[in-house]
Amino acid sequence: MATSQHRSAYRAIVREVNRASIYPRSTRPQTVASHIRGIFEERRDGDDNARFYHDMRNAATFMRAQRTHKALLERYNPLLGLSVEERVKKTANRVGLDMPATPKDEE
């Protein structure tokens, strides 16, 4: 029978993996979840459980911090995912300028 510490660590890891997933729930691949379940199953009755649970809590904290970092980058750096042209245009608009229309090469 799994202890509450075992369930808590497992649920924290699975929760963070699900939140970090880019796939919708119905099409999410189950390989990561099955590997996590396998790791916890083999460590259920192992020795040095305190260190294992400590490492799993650290992994969950790391994944939570990565997700928060990504959200903050998107919030405070709106030019992050843009192409060079879009970035130049947005930067010019920020200071009140418009980019001149670039002529297209006519052949």
Side-chain angles (χ1 to χ4, degrees):
M1 188 57 116
T3 65
S4 64
Q5 187 179 22
H6 190 82
R7 276 191 306 269
S8 173
Y10 174 73
R11 287 178 181 166
I13 294 287
V14 170
R15 188 178 311 119
E16 289 303 321
V17 167
N18 288 339
R19 287 180 180 165
S21 178
I22 59 173
Y23 298 105
R25 184 178 210 132
S26 61
T27 61
R28 190 174 296 154
Q30 295 298 316
T31 55
V32 174
S34 64
H35 285 302
I36 293 171
R37 190 177 308 112
I39 290 169
F40 275 86
E41 285 294 322
E42 74 183 34
R43 292 298 299 208
R44 176 178 285 179
D45 297 325
D47 41 331
D48 200 17
N49 280 336
R51 181 178 176 139
F52 175 71
Y53 294 129
H54 179 73
D55 290 343
M56 291 300 108
R57 283 193 305 268
N58 281 342
T61 302
F62 176 75
M63 288 189 286
R64 188 177 314 112
Q66 285 291 93
R67 188 170 38 86
T68 305
H69 181 258
K70 182 180 176 185
L72 290 173
L73 274 179
E74 290 171 354
R75 175 189 259 174
Y76 293 110
N77 191 1
L79 305 177
L80 184 65
L82 301 178
S83 69
V84 175
E85 292 176 9
E86 292 172 330
R87 188 177 304 136
V88 168
K89 185 176 179 180
K90 297 267 185 187
T91 303
N93 286 339
R94 183 179 292 166
V95 295
L97 301 173
D98 288 329
M99 291 296 297
T102 56
K104 298 200 189 271
D105 294 336
E106 296 178 0
E107 295 178 6

